[in-house]
Amino acid sequence: LRIAGAAVATVAGATAVKRAPSRRDQKRVAEAVRRIELDADGPISLSALADEAATSPYHFLRIFRQVAGMTPYQFLLKTRLHRAAVRLRLSDDAISAVAFDAGFNDLSTFNRRFRRVMGETPGDYRARQSGRIRMRAPRRRQAQSEVGPHQPGR
């Protein structure tokens, strides 16, 4: 009957109604969230999370997104960035040390993701949070005629 109902809904142009996640799936996701929060500074794989939840990686990804509203990787990044932001506010440690301790293996990736999520660079965030306002001079772009080796008319 479920297949017939889906076929009728498709022909009629109706959108499919998604089932709510089961209590068991909600519990699996809650346990995975706790694991991510506890071990966010280290490597965590989707397959390891799925194994702990006793599901396939595909099913785990689907239920995690349905319950949490984001993928496990997005949640991991958000957790790492939150921890880094707290540490930037509370310590004077180098930004690179904060990034590596938060679980990022590459400083440029940390800077790019931090800026995308927080709307400013880690250095600007730290300065604003500590009350020091940091002003950056805009980059000077060279005019096209200054850049090229050959110039017309010469």
PDB file of all heavy atoms in Angstrom, residues 71-101:
ATOM      1  N   THR A  71      24.933  17.705   8.544  1.00  0.00           N
ATOM      2  CA  THR A  71      25.680  16.457   8.466  1.00  0.00           C
ATOM      3  C   THR A  71      26.609  16.336   9.677  1.00  0.00           C
ATOM      4  O   THR A  71      26.903  17.341  10.338  1.00  0.00           O
ATOM      5  CB  THR A  71      26.536  16.406   7.179  1.00  0.00           C
ATOM      6  OG1 THR A  71      27.546  17.405   7.261  1.00  0.00           O
ATOM      7  CG2 THR A  71      25.683  16.599   5.945  1.00  0.00           C
ATOM      8  N   PRO A  72      27.090  15.126   9.951  1.00  0.00           N
ATOM      9  CA  PRO A  72      28.045  14.978  11.059  1.00  0.00           C
ATOM     10  C   PRO A  72      29.293  15.829  10.866  1.00  0.00           C
ATOM     11  O   PRO A  72      29.813  16.404  11.817  1.00  0.00           O
ATOM     12  CB  PRO A  72      28.392  13.485  11.039  1.00  0.00           C
ATOM     13  CG  PRO A  72      27.258  12.833  10.352  1.00  0.00           C
ATOM     14  CD  PRO A  72      26.727  13.829   9.382  1.00  0.00           C
ATOM     15  N   TYR A  73      29.772  15.943   9.632  1.00  0.00           N
ATOM     16  CA  TYR A  73      30.955  16.760   9.366  1.00  0.00           C
ATOM     17  C   TYR A  73      30.682  18.235   9.652  1.00  0.00           C
ATOM     18  O   TYR A  73      31.513  18.923  10.242  1.00  0.00           O
ATOM     19  CB  TYR A  73      31.428  16.564   7.923  1.00  0.00           C
ATOM     20  CG  TYR A  73      32.687  17.332   7.624  1.00  0.00           C
ATOM     21  CD1 TYR A  73      33.900  16.952   8.189  1.00  0.00           C
ATOM     22  CD2 TYR A  73      32.674  18.440   6.799  1.00  0.00           C
ATOM     23  CE1 TYR A  73      35.061  17.656   7.931  1.00  0.00           C
ATOM     24  CE2 TYR A  73      33.825  19.154   6.534  1.00  0.00           C
ATOM     25  CZ  TYR A  73      35.017  18.751   7.105  1.00  0.00           C
ATOM     26  OH  TYR A  73      36.168  19.473   6.847  1.00  0.00           O
ATOM     27  N   GLN A  74      29.513  18.724   9.243  1.00  0.00           N
ATOM     28  CA  GLN A  74      29.160  20.117   9.536  1.00  0.00           C
ATOM     29  C   GLN A  74      29.071  20.343  11.036  1.00  0.00           C
ATOM     30  O   GLN A  74      29.517  21.375  11.544  1.00  0.00           O
ATOM     31  CB  GLN A  74      27.828  20.472   8.860  1.00  0.00           C
ATOM     32  CG  GLN A  74      27.919  20.577   7.362  1.00  0.00           C
ATOM     33  CD  GLN A  74      26.551  20.664   6.709  1.00  0.00           C
ATOM     34  OE1 GLN A  74      25.554  20.155   7.235  1.00  0.00           O
ATOM     35  NE2 GLN A  74      26.486  21.293   5.549  1.00  0.00           N
ATOM     36  N   PHE A  75      28.519  19.378  11.763  1.00  0.00           N
ATOM     37  CA  PHE A  75      28.440  19.498  13.221  1.00  0.00           C
ATOM     38  C   PHE A  75      29.833  19.483  13.838  1.00  0.00           C
ATOM     39  O   PHE A  75      30.123  20.256  14.751  1.00  0.00           O
ATOM     40  CB  PHE A  75      27.579  18.374  13.806  1.00  0.00           C
ATOM     41  CG  PHE A  75      27.413  18.490  15.291  1.00  0.00           C
ATOM     42  CD1 PHE A  75      26.525  19.413  15.834  1.00  0.00           C
ATOM     43  CD2 PHE A  75      28.167  17.707  16.153  1.00  0.00           C
ATOM     44  CE1 PHE A  75      26.389  19.541  17.209  1.00  0.00           C
ATOM     45  CE2 PHE A  75      28.030  17.824  17.519  1.00  0.00           C
ATOM     46  CZ  PHE A  75      27.148  18.748  18.054  1.00  0.00           C
ATOM     47  N   LEU A  76      30.703  18.626  13.335  1.00  0.00           N
ATOM     48  CA  LEU A  76      32.082  18.573  13.827  1.00  0.00           C
ATOM     49  C   LEU A  76      32.789  19.903  13.600  1.00  0.00           C
ATOM     50  O   LEU A  76      33.452  20.440  14.510  1.00  0.00           O
ATOM     51  CB  LEU A  76      32.841  17.436  13.134  1.00  0.00           C
ATOM     52  CG  LEU A  76      34.330  17.317  13.437  1.00  0.00           C
ATOM     53  CD1 LEU A  76      34.549  17.013  14.918  1.00  0.00           C
ATOM     54  CD2 LEU A  76      34.961  16.255  12.560  1.00  0.00           C
ATOM     55  N   LEU A  77      32.659  20.468  12.413  1.00  0.00           N
ATOM     56  CA  LEU A  77      33.279  21.769  12.130  1.00  0.00           C
ATOM     57  C   LEU A  77      32.735  22.854  13.046  1.00  0.00           C
ATOM     58  O   LEU A  77      33.498  23.679  13.571  1.00  0.00           O
ATOM     59  CB  LEU A  77      33.036  22.172  10.674  1.00  0.00           C
ATOM     60  CG  LEU A  77      33.946  21.554   9.645  1.00  0.00           C
ATOM     61  CD1 LEU A  77      33.533  21.991   8.250  1.00  0.00           C
ATOM     62  CD2 LEU A  77      35.388  21.921   9.898  1.00  0.00           C
ATOM     63  N   LYS A  78      31.428  22.858  13.228  1.00  0.00           N
ATOM     64  CA  LYS A  78      30.808  23.860  14.092  1.00  0.00           C
ATOM     65  C   LYS A  78      31.326  23.729  15.530  1.00  0.00           C
ATOM     66  O   LYS A  78      31.621  24.726  16.188  1.00  0.00           O
ATOM     67  CB  LYS A  78      29.289  23.693  14.045  1.00  0.00           C
ATOM     68  CG  LYS A  78      28.516  24.859  14.516  1.00  0.00           C
ATOM     69  CD  LYS A  78      27.039  24.636  14.223  1.00  0.00           C
ATOM     70  CE  LYS A  78      26.284  25.906  14.445  1.00  0.00           C
ATOM     71  NZ  LYS A  78      24.891  25.801  14.086  1.00  0.00           N
ATOM     72  N   THR A  79      31.462  22.500  16.005  1.00  0.00           N
ATOM     73  CA  THR A  79      31.970  22.260  17.350  1.00  0.00           C
ATOM     74  C   THR A  79      33.409  22.737  17.473  1.00  0.00           C
ATOM     75  O   THR A  79      33.780  23.411  18.439  1.00  0.00           O
ATOM     76  CB  THR A  79      31.874  20.754  17.693  1.00  0.00           C
ATOM     77  OG1 THR A  79      30.503  20.357  17.585  1.00  0.00           O
ATOM     78  CG2 THR A  79      32.365  20.468  19.090  1.00  0.00           C
ATOM     79  N   ARG A  80      34.238  22.401  16.493  1.00  0.00           N
ATOM     80  CA  ARG A  80      35.641  22.830  16.519  1.00  0.00           C
ATOM     81  C   ARG A  80      35.766  24.343  16.469  1.00  0.00           C
ATOM     82  O   ARG A  80      36.576  24.931  17.192  1.00  0.00           O
ATOM     83  CB  ARG A  80      36.401  22.207  15.344  1.00  0.00           C
ATOM     84  CG  ARG A  80      36.660  20.736  15.512  1.00  0.00           C
ATOM     85  CD  ARG A  80      37.337  20.157  14.301  1.00  0.00           C
ATOM     86  NE  ARG A  80      37.697  18.756  14.535  1.00  0.00           N
ATOM     87  CZ  ARG A  80      38.200  17.973  13.601  1.00  0.00           C
ATOM     88  NH1 ARG A  80      38.403  18.417  12.380  1.00  0.00           N
ATOM     89  NH2 ARG A  80      38.510  16.724  13.895  1.00  0.00           N
ATOM     90  N   LEU A  81      34.983  24.981  15.624  1.00  0.00           N
ATOM     91  CA  LEU A  81      35.052  26.444  15.510  1.00  0.00           C
ATOM     92  C   LEU A  81      34.562  27.117  16.783  1.00  0.00           C
ATOM     93  O   LEU A  81      35.123  28.137  17.208  1.00  0.00           O
ATOM     94  CB  LEU A  81      34.256  26.924  14.301  1.00  0.00           C
ATOM     95  CG  LEU A  81      34.883  26.584  12.950  1.00  0.00           C
ATOM     96  CD1 LEU A  81      33.917  26.907  11.824  1.00  0.00           C
ATOM     97  CD2 LEU A  81      36.199  27.324  12.763  1.00  0.00           C
ATOM     98  N   HIS A  82      33.546  26.569  17.412  1.00  0.00           N
ATOM     99  CA  HIS A  82      33.053  27.132  18.671  1.00  0.00           C
ATOM    100  C   HIS A  82      34.132  27.051  19.747  1.00  0.00           C
ATOM    101  O   HIS A  82      34.387  28.014  20.466  1.00  0.00           O
ATOM    102  CB  HIS A  82      31.787  26.411  19.120  1.00  0.00           C
ATOM    103  CG  HIS A  82      31.305  26.841  20.462  1.00  0.00           C
ATOM    104  ND1 HIS A  82      30.724  28.076  20.686  1.00  0.00           N
ATOM    105  CD2 HIS A  82      31.341  26.231  21.664  1.00  0.00           C
ATOM    106  CE1 HIS A  82      30.429  28.187  21.973  1.00  0.00           C
ATOM    107  NE2 HIS A  82      30.792  27.075  22.583  1.00  0.00           N
ATOM    108  N   ARG A  83      34.780  25.893  19.849  1.00  0.00           N
ATOM    109  CA  ARG A  83      35.856  25.733  20.838  1.00  0.00           C
ATOM    110  C   ARG A  83      36.998  26.697  20.563  1.00  0.00           C
ATOM    111  O   ARG A  83      37.592  27.275  21.479  1.00  0.00           O
ATOM    112  CB  ARG A  83      36.376  24.305  20.827  1.00  0.00           C
ATOM    113  CG  ARG A  83      35.422  23.341  21.449  1.00  0.00           C
ATOM    114  CD  ARG A  83      36.016  21.965  21.485  1.00  0.00           C
ATOM    115  NE  ARG A  83      35.059  21.051  22.085  1.00  0.00           N
ATOM    116  CZ  ARG A  83      35.274  19.781  22.261  1.00  0.00           C
ATOM    117  NH1 ARG A  83      36.430  19.255  21.898  1.00  0.00           N
ATOM    118  NH2 ARG A  83      34.366  19.017  22.807  1.00  0.00           N
ATOM    119  N   ALA A  84      37.342  26.855  19.294  1.00  0.00           N
ATOM    120  CA  ALA A  84      38.426  27.772  18.934  1.00  0.00           C
ATOM    121  C   ALA A  84      38.046  29.209  19.282  1.00  0.00           C
ATOM    122  O   ALA A  84      38.880  29.964  19.798  1.00  0.00           O
ATOM    123  CB  ALA A  84      38.739  27.652  17.441  1.00  0.00           C
ATOM    124  N   ALA A  85      36.788  29.588  19.043  1.00  0.00           N
ATOM    125  CA  ALA A  85      36.351  30.952  19.362  1.00  0.00           C
ATOM    126  C   ALA A  85      36.425  31.211  20.866  1.00  0.00           C
ATOM    127  O   ALA A  85      36.864  32.281  21.303  1.00  0.00           O
ATOM    128  CB  ALA A  85      34.925  31.176  18.845  1.00  0.00           C
ATOM    129  N   VAL A  86      36.023  30.241  21.658  1.00  0.00           N
ATOM    130  CA  VAL A  86      36.104  30.398  23.120  1.00  0.00           C
ATOM    131  C   VAL A  86      37.559  30.565  23.540  1.00  0.00           C
ATOM    132  O   VAL A  86      37.895  31.449  24.336  1.00  0.00           O
ATOM    133  CB  VAL A  86      35.452  29.184  23.832  1.00  0.00           C
ATOM    134  CG1 VAL A  86      35.767  29.185  25.315  1.00  0.00           C
ATOM    135  CG2 VAL A  86      33.949  29.188  23.604  1.00  0.00           C
ATOM    136  N   ARG A  87      38.422  29.753  22.990  1.00  0.00           N
ATOM    137  CA  ARG A  87      39.840  29.836  23.360  1.00  0.00           C
ATOM    138  C   ARG A  87      40.473  31.141  22.876  1.00  0.00           C
ATOM    139  O   ARG A  87      41.334  31.705  23.562  1.00  0.00           O
ATOM    140  CB  ARG A  87      40.586  28.636  22.795  1.00  0.00           C
ATOM    141  CG  ARG A  87      41.977  28.548  23.332  1.00  0.00           C
ATOM    142  CD  ARG A  87      42.549  27.172  23.212  1.00  0.00           C
ATOM    143  NE  ARG A  87      43.981  27.239  23.434  1.00  0.00           N
ATOM    144  CZ  ARG A  87      44.856  26.449  22.871  1.00  0.00           C
ATOM    145  NH1 ARG A  87      44.444  25.490  22.068  1.00  0.00           N
ATOM    146  NH2 ARG A  87      46.134  26.584  23.115  1.00  0.00           N
ATOM    147  N   LEU A  88      40.052  31.629  21.717  1.00  0.00           N
ATOM    148  CA  LEU A  88      40.569  32.917  21.236  1.00  0.00           C
ATOM    149  C   LEU A  88      40.177  34.043  22.189  1.00  0.00           C
ATOM    150  O   LEU A  88      40.953  34.969  22.418  1.00  0.00           O
ATOM    151  CB  LEU A  88      40.055  33.215  19.824  1.00  0.00           C
ATOM    152  CG  LEU A  88      40.695  32.422  18.694  1.00  0.00           C
ATOM    153  CD1 LEU A  88      39.916  32.640  17.402  1.00  0.00           C
ATOM    154  CD2 LEU A  88      42.153  32.805  18.526  1.00  0.00           C
ATOM    155  N   ARG A  89      38.967  33.953  22.737  1.00  0.00           N
ATOM    156  CA  ARG A  89      38.505  34.978  23.686  1.00  0.00           C
ATOM    157  C   ARG A  89      39.249  34.904  25.008  1.00  0.00           C
ATOM    158  O   ARG A  89      39.518  35.922  25.624  1.00  0.00           O
ATOM    159  CB  ARG A  89      37.010  34.809  23.963  1.00  0.00           C
ATOM    160  CG  ARG A  89      36.113  35.499  22.997  1.00  0.00           C
ATOM    161  CD  ARG A  89      34.692  35.625  23.538  1.00  0.00           C
ATOM    162  NE  ARG A  89      34.177  34.420  24.155  1.00  0.00           N
ATOM    163  CZ  ARG A  89      33.391  33.531  23.558  1.00  0.00           C
ATOM    164  NH1 ARG A  89      33.060  33.705  22.304  1.00  0.00           N
ATOM    165  NH2 ARG A  89      32.952  32.487  24.205  1.00  0.00           N
ATOM    166  N   LEU A  90      39.531  33.693  25.477  1.00  0.00           N
ATOM    167  CA  LEU A  90      40.026  33.507  26.840  1.00  0.00           C
ATOM    168  C   LEU A  90      41.540  33.390  26.966  1.00  0.00           C
ATOM    169  O   LEU A  90      42.044  33.429  28.093  1.00  0.00           O
ATOM    170  CB  LEU A  90      39.373  32.272  27.464  1.00  0.00           C
ATOM    171  CG  LEU A  90      37.851  32.301  27.560  1.00  0.00           C
ATOM    172  CD1 LEU A  90      37.331  30.997  28.136  1.00  0.00           C
ATOM    173  CD2 LEU A  90      37.391  33.491  28.386  1.00  0.00           C
ATOM    174  N   SER A  91      42.262  33.230  25.868  1.00  0.00           N
ATOM    175  CA  SER A  91      43.705  33.044  25.982  1.00  0.00           C
ATOM    176  C   SER A  91      44.448  33.945  25.007  1.00  0.00           C
ATOM    177  O   SER A  91      43.856  34.514  24.091  1.00  0.00           O
ATOM    178  CB  SER A  91      44.076  31.586  25.713  1.00  0.00           C
ATOM    179  OG  SER A  91      44.047  31.319  24.333  1.00  0.00           O
ATOM    180  N   ASP A  92      45.740  34.041  25.224  1.00  0.00           N
ATOM    181  CA  ASP A  92      46.606  34.788  24.308  1.00  0.00           C
ATOM    182  C   ASP A  92      47.459  33.837  23.469  1.00  0.00           C
ATOM    183  O   ASP A  92      48.471  34.250  22.905  1.00  0.00           O
ATOM    184  CB  ASP A  92      47.515  35.738  25.098  1.00  0.00           C
ATOM    185  CG  ASP A  92      46.751  36.933  25.655  1.00  0.00           C
ATOM    186  OD1 ASP A  92      45.747  37.334  25.023  1.00  0.00           O
ATOM    187  OD2 ASP A  92      47.153  37.459  26.702  1.00  0.00           O
ATOM    188  N   ASP A  93      47.055  32.573  23.401  1.00  0.00           N
ATOM    189  CA  ASP A  93      47.801  31.595  22.606  1.00  0.00           C
ATOM    190  C   ASP A  93      47.794  32.008  21.138  1.00  0.00           C
ATOM    191  O   ASP A  93      46.868  32.683  20.666  1.00  0.00           O
ATOM    192  CB  ASP A  93      47.175  30.206  22.734  1.00  0.00           C
ATOM    193  CG  ASP A  93      47.266  29.663  24.140  1.00  0.00           C
ATOM    194  OD1 ASP A  93      48.119  30.145  24.912  1.00  0.00           O
ATOM    195  OD2 ASP A  93      46.475  28.759  24.474  1.00  0.00           O
ATOM    196  N   ALA A  94      48.815  31.597  20.440  1.00  0.00           N
ATOM    197  CA  ALA A  94      48.902  31.895  19.014  1.00  0.00           C
ATOM    198  C   ALA A  94      47.700  31.293  18.286  1.00  0.00           C
ATOM    199  O   ALA A  94      47.206  30.223  18.663  1.00  0.00           O
ATOM    200  CB  ALA A  94      50.194  31.321  18.441  1.00  0.00           C
ATOM    201  N   ILE A  95      47.243  31.979  17.259  1.00  0.00           N
ATOM    202  CA  ILE A  95      46.089  31.502  16.490  1.00  0.00           C
ATOM    203  C   ILE A  95      46.373  30.131  15.895  1.00  0.00           C
ATOM    204  O   ILE A  95      45.507  29.258  15.876  1.00  0.00           O
ATOM    205  CB  ILE A  95      45.686  32.529  15.416  1.00  0.00           C
ATOM    206  CG1 ILE A  95      45.143  33.792  16.099  1.00  0.00           C
ATOM    207  CG2 ILE A  95      44.677  31.943  14.440  1.00  0.00           C
ATOM    208  CD1 ILE A  95      44.872  34.941  15.171  1.00  0.00           C
ATOM    209  N   SER A  96      47.599  29.912  15.462  1.00  0.00           N
ATOM    210  CA  SER A  96      47.933  28.601  14.896  1.00  0.00           C
ATOM    211  C   SER A  96      47.815  27.505  15.959  1.00  0.00           C
ATOM    212  O   SER A  96      47.322  26.407  15.666  1.00  0.00           O
ATOM    213  CB  SER A  96      49.343  28.607  14.305  1.00  0.00           C
ATOM    214  OG  SER A  96      50.295  28.951  15.291  1.00  0.00           O
ATOM    215  N   ALA A  97      48.224  27.785  17.191  1.00  0.00           N
ATOM    216  CA  ALA A  97      48.103  26.794  18.262  1.00  0.00           C
ATOM    217  C   ALA A  97      46.640  26.503  18.554  1.00  0.00           C
ATOM    218  O   ALA A  97      46.255  25.347  18.770  1.00  0.00           O
ATOM    219  CB  ALA A  97      48.810  27.287  19.519  1.00  0.00           C
ATOM    220  N   VAL A  98      45.814  27.530  18.550  1.00  0.00           N
ATOM    221  CA  VAL A  98      44.374  27.354  18.778  1.00  0.00           C
ATOM    222  C   VAL A  98      43.784  26.490  17.669  1.00  0.00           C
ATOM    223  O   VAL A  98      43.012  25.566  17.931  1.00  0.00           O
ATOM    224  CB  VAL A  98      43.655  28.724  18.857  1.00  0.00           C
ATOM    225  CG1 VAL A  98      42.148  28.554  18.877  1.00  0.00           C
ATOM    226  CG2 VAL A  98      44.126  29.512  20.071  1.00  0.00           C
ATOM    227  N   ALA A  99      44.167  26.766  16.429  1.00  0.00           N
ATOM    228  CA  ALA A  99      43.643  26.013  15.290  1.00  0.00           C
ATOM    229  C   ALA A  99      44.037  24.545  15.371  1.00  0.00           C
ATOM    230  O   ALA A  99      43.193  23.655  15.224  1.00  0.00           O
ATOM    231  CB  ALA A  99      44.149  26.621  13.985  1.00  0.00           C
ATOM    232  N   PHE A 100      45.305  24.275  15.626  1.00  0.00           N
ATOM    233  CA  PHE A 100      45.766  22.888  15.673  1.00  0.00           C
ATOM    234  C   PHE A 100      45.171  22.137  16.858  1.00  0.00           C
ATOM    235  O   PHE A 100      44.804  20.975  16.744  1.00  0.00           O
ATOM    236  CB  PHE A 100      47.294  22.823  15.688  1.00  0.00           C
ATOM    237  CG  PHE A 100      47.921  23.357  14.424  1.00  0.00           C
ATOM    238  CD1 PHE A 100      48.981  24.245  14.475  1.00  0.00           C
ATOM    239  CD2 PHE A 100      47.447  22.994  13.169  1.00  0.00           C
ATOM    240  CE1 PHE A 100      49.553  24.745  13.320  1.00  0.00           C
ATOM    241  CE2 PHE A 100      48.011  23.491  12.006  1.00  0.00           C
ATOM    242  CZ  PHE A 100      49.074  24.369  12.076  1.00  0.00           C
ATOM    243  N   ASP A 101      45.066  22.803  18.003  1.00  0.00           N
ATOM    244  CA  ASP A 101      44.475  22.158  19.175  1.00  0.00           C
ATOM    245  C   ASP A 101      42.983  21.888  18.999  1.00  0.00           C
ATOM    246  O   ASP A 101      42.441  20.979  19.614  1.00  0.00           O
ATOM    247  CB  ASP A 101      44.700  23.009  20.427  1.00  0.00           C
ATOM    248  CG  ASP A 101      46.149  23.000  20.874  1.00  0.00           C
ATOM    249  OD1 ASP A 101      46.926  22.153  20.384  1.00  0.00           O
ATOM    250  OD2 ASP A 101      46.514  23.851  21.705  1.00  0.00           O
TER     251      ASP A 101
END
